[in-house]
Amino acid sequence: MSAATQAFLEMLAAERGAAANTLAAYRRDLDGAEDALGDLAKVPRAAVARLAGEWATLAPSTVARKASALRQFFGFAVDEGWRGDDPSGALPNPRQRRPLPKVLGHDAVRALLERAELEAATGKSAAVRQLALLEMLYGSGLRATELVGLPLSAVPRDAPLITVTGKGGQARMVPVSERAREALTRWTALRPSDPPSKFLFPSRGGKHLSRVRLFQLLKELAARADLDPAGISPHVLRHAFATHLLEGGADLRVLQTLLGHADISTTQIYTHVDAARLVELVNSRHPLARRGRTD
């Protein structure tokens, strides 16, 4: 990696508070571009234009992500005086539609919870941990990284809230349901203390449970609950949290705060998912709808 791209990544971490996963993704994309073109601070515009052919077989979402990383780098390079031009205009700009999130129905969530509760009733620490993880994913809408990285000190005592550090190091307060608090209490009573770890869900090495292992645990639980494991993941449960809240009448701005979305447009994806509720809202609240009933 060139000194220029390394400096760009350091800027993202220091000034924008980019998360480790974000930095890793930028590093991969910039490394790939440098392998194809050479030093990005010096590469000519004509060479940048060749990336469209290099990326021709990639999915539009992947091309858009790579192009975004390069645009940001080139803007940084111009600001630093390393380049006299910004060749971003030569990058491909694929049109893509944001996919609708997978929706997990109430019955499927109920089946997962019932199975997890049945297994936790055995008192085994792994089963109790599994229930606590599930309750936090569905009950508070946490991202996988946010959940596994929770410190032990985050466990609520009196206030029914938990402080979560989300993308970009942004902290937010998230409510914890009574069910989740009860599951967390059961888990902390069984949580191993050797080796010492500051994390709520420690691993055997003293660090925290990995995201990969969390995915595996959920898919294994889904199979035991007679659900398709392919349709279950931490993010699907986060989507279920958001969709079911919206169905219950939650305000979109409140939902944005709970999910930790920086932009309301990200939260608005759930209005497409909950189409049935929107139709009902128009039919019941629109002035012409009320007039029709009166007539």
Side-chain angles (χ1 to χ4, degrees), residues 69-216:
L70 285 174
R71 285 191 186 93
Q72 293 184 63
F73 170 80
F74 287 138
F76 175 72
V78 171
D79 291 341
E80 292 295 312
W82 299 333
R83 295 191 64 103
D85 68 321
D86 183 347
S88 296
L91 290 167
N93 187 23
R95 289 174 173 262
Q96 59 172 332
R97 297 179 61 187
R98 177 179 289 175
L100 295 178
K102 294 180 180 177
V103 181
L104 199 62
H106 294 270
D107 290 342
V109 172
R110 188 177 301 109
L112 271 179
L113 288 169
E114 288 177 352
R115 181 68 196 189
E117 289 166 351
L118 180 65
E119 295 179 2
T122 63
K124 295 180 179 178
S125 62
V128 174
R129 181 187 66 177
Q130 174 182 260
L131 179 61
L133 290 166
L134 182 60
E135 290 283 2
M136 291 299 293
L137 285 170
Y138 178 64
S140 297
L142 301 185
R143 298 179 177 95
T145 303
E146 294 170 346
L147 178 58
V148 298
L150 282 175
L152 180 60
S153 59
V155 177
R157 290 175 173 81
D158 299 324
L161 297 168
I162 193 168
T163 302
V164 176
T165 302
K167 288 186 176 181
Q170 296 297 313
R172 70 184 189 279
M173 299 295 290
V174 176
V176 179
S177 69
E178 288 293 334
R179 290 173 54 102
R181 290 178 69 184
E182 180 182 345
L184 288 174
T185 299
R186 293 172 64 184
W187 164 240
T188 52
L190 298 173
R191 175 184 171 276
S193 56
D194 186 27
S197 174
K198 67 177 183 178
F199 296 106
L200 176 57
F201 300 104
S203 66
R204 292 177 182 175
K207 297 182 179 181
H208 60 67
L209 183 75
S210 71
R211 293 170 63 243
V212 172
R213 185 57 185 146
L214 177 60
F215 273 74
Q216 291 172 342

Side-chain angles (χ1 to χ4, degrees), residues 279-295:
V279 171
E280 181 184 353
L281 181 66
V282 170
N283 289 336
S284 62
R285 301 295 179 87
H286 195 280
L288 290 180
R290 291 198 297 273
R291 179 181 176 184
R293 289 196 300 273
T294 302
D295 293 344

Side-chain angles (χ1 to χ4, degrees), residues 34 57 66 130-131 184-185 196 203 219 234 237 264 271 281:
E34 286 196 330
T57 59
K66 290 177 176 292
Q130 174 182 260
L131 179 61
L184 288 174
T185 299
S203 66
K219 292 186 181 298
L237 286 166
I264 190 67
T271 63
L281 181 66

